[in-house]
Amino acid sequence: FIGISLIMAIGAQNSFVLRQGILNQHVFYVALFCAFSDTVLILIGITGISFFLESIISQNLDALYGLSAVWLTFYGLIRLKAAFKLNKTLDIESHGPKDLLKTLSVLGVLTFANPHVYLDTIVLIGSVSQQFKGHDQIAFALGASLASFIFFFSLAYGAKQLASKMRNPFSWKILDFFIATVMLTIAF
């Protein structure tokens, strides 16, 4: 439950997964990349890095939250600009598949340049896991990792089902405006 509740917030990574699913571009690889990245970071946190970094993080928490707010504001403004772009038309069929390496590179930046991913996976999940020992800690790690896989594959393939509704450019504007609003609210 902790894992899924932290992932569900719409951020830069989740909005990218949503868009890729709607555009039907590299859906499986995008979902796999996100779930695998989360799993690696969760395992790093659970193996004790969060325990060793706890004092450093607590001393710099304001700066980390400030960086997170700047990141979310920047991405939110990009989506807000896209929502109000006057001549924006998107035809799903006209978008040929982008290069997989380019897609995963963009996703890598959206994933690993976001300070929230470290706070959520390494610090928060890692800290919570310290209360468990042995098999219980392994079960916690598996549960948190499974939550990532379930969420990202559900988001990517669920978005794929929305493709027919997203043929209307106004639908994209609504989606971009919604994402911008959520991101700016979280940043605030």
PDB file of all heavy atoms in Angstrom, residues 162-178:
ATOM      1  N   LEU A 162      -7.430   4.396 -23.990  1.00  0.00           N
ATOM      2  CA  LEU A 162      -8.009   5.736 -24.158  1.00  0.00           C
ATOM      3  C   LEU A 162      -7.705   6.349 -25.518  1.00  0.00           C
ATOM      4  O   LEU A 162      -8.189   7.439 -25.824  1.00  0.00           O
ATOM      5  CB  LEU A 162      -7.462   6.683 -23.081  1.00  0.00           C
ATOM      6  CG  LEU A 162      -7.880   6.435 -21.652  1.00  0.00           C
ATOM      7  CD1 LEU A 162      -7.144   7.385 -20.723  1.00  0.00           C
ATOM      8  CD2 LEU A 162      -9.375   6.599 -21.503  1.00  0.00           C
ATOM      9  N   ALA A 163      -6.917   5.674 -26.326  1.00  0.00           N
ATOM     10  CA  ALA A 163      -6.448   6.248 -27.590  1.00  0.00           C
ATOM     11  C   ALA A 163      -7.583   6.776 -28.454  1.00  0.00           C
ATOM     12  O   ALA A 163      -7.477   7.861 -29.033  1.00  0.00           O
ATOM     13  CB  ALA A 163      -5.613   5.233 -28.351  1.00  0.00           C
ATOM     14  N   SER A 164      -8.686   6.053 -28.534  1.00  0.00           N
ATOM     15  CA  SER A 164      -9.783   6.504 -29.397  1.00  0.00           C
ATOM     16  C   SER A 164     -10.404   7.807 -28.901  1.00  0.00           C
ATOM     17  O   SER A 164     -10.822   8.644 -29.695  1.00  0.00           O
ATOM     18  CB  SER A 164     -10.854   5.420 -29.511  1.00  0.00           C
ATOM     19  OG  SER A 164     -11.438   5.175 -28.247  1.00  0.00           O
ATOM     20  N   LYS A 165     -10.438   7.994 -27.593  1.00  0.00           N
ATOM     21  CA  LYS A 165     -10.994   9.232 -27.036  1.00  0.00           C
ATOM     22  C   LYS A 165     -10.037  10.415 -27.202  1.00  0.00           C
ATOM     23  O   LYS A 165     -10.448  11.557 -27.152  1.00  0.00           O
ATOM     24  CB  LYS A 165     -11.322   9.030 -25.558  1.00  0.00           C
ATOM     25  CG  LYS A 165     -12.441   8.057 -25.300  1.00  0.00           C
ATOM     26  CD  LYS A 165     -12.677   7.936 -23.817  1.00  0.00           C
ATOM     27  CE  LYS A 165     -13.715   6.983 -23.383  1.00  0.00           C
ATOM     28  NZ  LYS A 165     -14.343   6.076 -24.214  1.00  0.00           N
ATOM     29  N   MET A 166      -8.753  10.105 -27.401  1.00  0.00           N
ATOM     30  CA  MET A 166      -7.745  11.161 -27.474  1.00  0.00           C
ATOM     31  C   MET A 166      -7.489  11.639 -28.906  1.00  0.00           C
ATOM     32  O   MET A 166      -6.547  12.361 -29.156  1.00  0.00           O
ATOM     33  CB  MET A 166      -6.445  10.684 -26.827  1.00  0.00           C
ATOM     34  CG  MET A 166      -6.573  10.339 -25.359  1.00  0.00           C
ATOM     35  SD  MET A 166      -7.270  11.644 -24.338  1.00  0.00           S
ATOM     36  CE  MET A 166      -5.919  12.792 -24.302  1.00  0.00           C
ATOM     37  N   ARG A 167      -8.341  11.281 -29.849  1.00  0.00           N
ATOM     38  CA  ARG A 167      -8.199  11.770 -31.225  1.00  0.00           C
ATOM     39  C   ARG A 167      -8.573  13.245 -31.326  1.00  0.00           C
ATOM     40  O   ARG A 167      -8.166  13.924 -32.252  1.00  0.00           O
ATOM     41  CB  ARG A 167      -9.066  10.944 -32.169  1.00  0.00           C
ATOM     42  CG  ARG A 167      -8.602   9.527 -32.282  1.00  0.00           C
ATOM     43  CD  ARG A 167      -9.434   8.758 -33.281  1.00  0.00           C
ATOM     44  NE  ARG A 167      -9.295   7.326 -33.115  1.00  0.00           N
ATOM     45  CZ  ARG A 167      -8.271   6.618 -33.535  1.00  0.00           C
ATOM     46  NH1 ARG A 167      -7.283   7.200 -34.144  1.00  0.00           N
ATOM     47  NH2 ARG A 167      -8.224   5.321 -33.337  1.00  0.00           N
ATOM     48  N   ASN A 168      -9.329  13.712 -30.390  1.00  0.00           N
ATOM     49  CA  ASN A 168      -9.764  15.103 -30.352  1.00  0.00           C
ATOM     50  C   ASN A 168      -8.672  15.953 -29.688  1.00  0.00           C
ATOM     51  O   ASN A 168      -8.292  15.680 -28.546  1.00  0.00           O
ATOM     52  CB  ASN A 168     -11.072  15.177 -29.558  1.00  0.00           C
ATOM     53  CG  ASN A 168     -11.616  16.571 -29.428  1.00  0.00           C
ATOM     54  OD1 ASN A 168     -10.998  17.543 -29.857  1.00  0.00           O
ATOM     55  ND2 ASN A 168     -12.786  16.669 -28.843  1.00  0.00           N
ATOM     56  N   PRO A 169      -8.171  16.995 -30.380  1.00  0.00           N
ATOM     57  CA  PRO A 169      -7.117  17.840 -29.783  1.00  0.00           C
ATOM     58  C   PRO A 169      -7.533  18.465 -28.453  1.00  0.00           C
ATOM     59  O   PRO A 169      -6.705  18.687 -27.581  1.00  0.00           O
ATOM     60  CB  PRO A 169      -6.875  18.923 -30.831  1.00  0.00           C
ATOM     61  CG  PRO A 169      -7.393  18.363 -32.096  1.00  0.00           C
ATOM     62  CD  PRO A 169      -8.492  17.398 -31.737  1.00  0.00           C
ATOM     63  N   PHE A 170      -8.840  18.714 -28.292  1.00  0.00           N
ATOM     64  CA  PHE A 170      -9.315  19.298 -27.044  1.00  0.00           C
ATOM     65  C   PHE A 170      -9.080  18.340 -25.876  1.00  0.00           C
ATOM     66  O   PHE A 170      -8.779  18.769 -24.758  1.00  0.00           O
ATOM     67  CB  PHE A 170     -10.800  19.667 -27.160  1.00  0.00           C
ATOM     68  CG  PHE A 170     -11.307  20.424 -25.976  1.00  0.00           C
ATOM     69  CD1 PHE A 170     -10.889  21.739 -25.743  1.00  0.00           C
ATOM     70  CD2 PHE A 170     -12.185  19.838 -25.086  1.00  0.00           C
ATOM     71  CE1 PHE A 170     -11.346  22.437 -24.640  1.00  0.00           C
ATOM     72  CE2 PHE A 170     -12.649  20.532 -23.973  1.00  0.00           C
ATOM     73  CZ  PHE A 170     -12.227  21.839 -23.758  1.00  0.00           C
ATOM     74  N   SER A 171      -9.161  17.030 -26.120  1.00  0.00           N
ATOM     75  CA  SER A 171      -8.897  16.039 -25.063  1.00  0.00           C
ATOM     76  C   SER A 171      -7.456  16.136 -24.584  1.00  0.00           C
ATOM     77  O   SER A 171      -7.180  16.007 -23.390  1.00  0.00           O
ATOM     78  CB  SER A 171      -9.181  14.630 -25.576  1.00  0.00           C
ATOM     79  OG  SER A 171     -10.530  14.490 -25.915  1.00  0.00           O
ATOM     80  N   TRP A 172      -6.526  16.364 -25.512  1.00  0.00           N
ATOM     81  CA  TRP A 172      -5.114  16.525 -25.133  1.00  0.00           C
ATOM     82  C   TRP A 172      -4.928  17.784 -24.297  1.00  0.00           C
ATOM     83  O   TRP A 172      -4.142  17.795 -23.349  1.00  0.00           O
ATOM     84  CB  TRP A 172      -4.226  16.579 -26.378  1.00  0.00           C
ATOM     85  CG  TRP A 172      -3.990  15.236 -26.954  1.00  0.00           C
ATOM     86  CD1 TRP A 172      -4.685  14.650 -27.966  1.00  0.00           C
ATOM     87  CD2 TRP A 172      -3.010  14.290 -26.542  1.00  0.00           C
ATOM     88  NE1 TRP A 172      -4.189  13.402 -28.208  1.00  0.00           N
ATOM     89  CE2 TRP A 172      -3.158  13.153 -27.353  1.00  0.00           C
ATOM     90  CE3 TRP A 172      -2.021  14.288 -25.570  1.00  0.00           C
ATOM     91  CZ2 TRP A 172      -2.352  12.036 -27.228  1.00  0.00           C
ATOM     92  CZ3 TRP A 172      -1.213  13.173 -25.456  1.00  0.00           C
ATOM     93  CH2 TRP A 172      -1.384  12.065 -26.268  1.00  0.00           C
ATOM     94  N   LYS A 173      -5.636  18.835 -24.671  1.00  0.00           N
ATOM     95  CA  LYS A 173      -5.527  20.080 -23.903  1.00  0.00           C
ATOM     96  C   LYS A 173      -6.039  19.871 -22.474  1.00  0.00           C
ATOM     97  O   LYS A 173      -5.446  20.366 -21.522  1.00  0.00           O
ATOM     98  CB  LYS A 173      -6.284  21.199 -24.600  1.00  0.00           C
ATOM     99  CG  LYS A 173      -5.620  21.632 -25.884  1.00  0.00           C
ATOM    100  CD  LYS A 173      -6.372  22.751 -26.553  1.00  0.00           C
ATOM    101  CE  LYS A 173      -5.667  23.052 -27.866  1.00  0.00           C
ATOM    102  NZ  LYS A 173      -5.644  24.446 -28.177  1.00  0.00           N
ATOM    103  N   ILE A 174      -7.131  19.132 -22.345  1.00  0.00           N
ATOM    104  CA  ILE A 174      -7.664  18.832 -21.008  1.00  0.00           C
ATOM    105  C   ILE A 174      -6.657  18.011 -20.209  1.00  0.00           C
ATOM    106  O   ILE A 174      -6.402  18.301 -19.040  1.00  0.00           O
ATOM    107  CB  ILE A 174      -9.019  18.094 -21.116  1.00  0.00           C
ATOM    108  CG1 ILE A 174     -10.084  19.047 -21.662  1.00  0.00           C
ATOM    109  CG2 ILE A 174      -9.444  17.528 -19.770  1.00  0.00           C
ATOM    110  CD1 ILE A 174     -11.393  18.368 -21.997  1.00  0.00           C
ATOM    111  N   LEU A 175      -6.075  16.987 -20.843  1.00  0.00           N
ATOM    112  CA  LEU A 175      -5.078  16.158 -20.163  1.00  0.00           C
ATOM    113  C   LEU A 175      -3.875  16.995 -19.736  1.00  0.00           C
ATOM    114  O   LEU A 175      -3.433  16.912 -18.582  1.00  0.00           O
ATOM    115  CB  LEU A 175      -4.626  15.007 -21.073  1.00  0.00           C
ATOM    116  CG  LEU A 175      -3.525  14.105 -20.493  1.00  0.00           C
ATOM    117  CD1 LEU A 175      -4.006  13.385 -19.245  1.00  0.00           C
ATOM    118  CD2 LEU A 175      -3.054  13.114 -21.548  1.00  0.00           C
ATOM    119  N   ASP A 176      -3.339  17.814 -20.641  1.00  0.00           N
ATOM    120  CA  ASP A 176      -2.190  18.661 -20.297  1.00  0.00           C
ATOM    121  C   ASP A 176      -2.534  19.637 -19.177  1.00  0.00           C
ATOM    122  O   ASP A 176      -1.731  19.864 -18.267  1.00  0.00           O
ATOM    123  CB  ASP A 176      -1.705  19.432 -21.535  1.00  0.00           C
ATOM    124  CG  ASP A 176      -0.914  18.566 -22.488  1.00  0.00           C
ATOM    125  OD1 ASP A 176      -0.312  17.575 -22.030  1.00  0.00           O
ATOM    126  OD2 ASP A 176      -0.882  18.887 -23.689  1.00  0.00           O
ATOM    127  N   PHE A 177      -3.735  20.216 -19.219  1.00  0.00           N
ATOM    128  CA  PHE A 177      -4.144  21.155 -18.171  1.00  0.00           C
ATOM    129  C   PHE A 177      -4.275  20.439 -16.826  1.00  0.00           C
ATOM    130  O   PHE A 177      -3.835  20.950 -15.798  1.00  0.00           O
ATOM    131  CB  PHE A 177      -5.465  21.841 -18.546  1.00  0.00           C
ATOM    132  CG  PHE A 177      -5.878  22.887 -17.555  1.00  0.00           C
ATOM    133  CD1 PHE A 177      -5.267  24.128 -17.558  1.00  0.00           C
ATOM    134  CD2 PHE A 177      -6.850  22.621 -16.615  1.00  0.00           C
ATOM    135  CE1 PHE A 177      -5.631  25.104 -16.631  1.00  0.00           C
ATOM    136  CE2 PHE A 177      -7.215  23.575 -15.683  1.00  0.00           C
ATOM    137  CZ  PHE A 177      -6.606  24.822 -15.696  1.00  0.00           C
ATOM    138  N   PHE A 178      -4.853  19.236 -16.840  1.00  0.00           N
ATOM    139  CA  PHE A 178      -4.992  18.457 -15.611  1.00  0.00           C
ATOM    140  C   PHE A 178      -3.623  18.126 -15.019  1.00  0.00           C
ATOM    141  O   PHE A 178      -3.396  18.295 -13.816  1.00  0.00           O
ATOM    142  CB  PHE A 178      -5.784  17.178 -15.884  1.00  0.00           C
ATOM    143  CG  PHE A 178      -5.848  16.244 -14.704  1.00  0.00           C
ATOM    144  CD1 PHE A 178      -6.635  16.539 -13.608  1.00  0.00           C
ATOM    145  CD2 PHE A 178      -5.103  15.073 -14.695  1.00  0.00           C
ATOM    146  CE1 PHE A 178      -6.688  15.685 -12.517  1.00  0.00           C
ATOM    147  CE2 PHE A 178      -5.144  14.211 -13.610  1.00  0.00           C
ATOM    148  CZ  PHE A 178      -5.945  14.519 -12.524  1.00  0.00           C
TER     149      PHE A 178
END
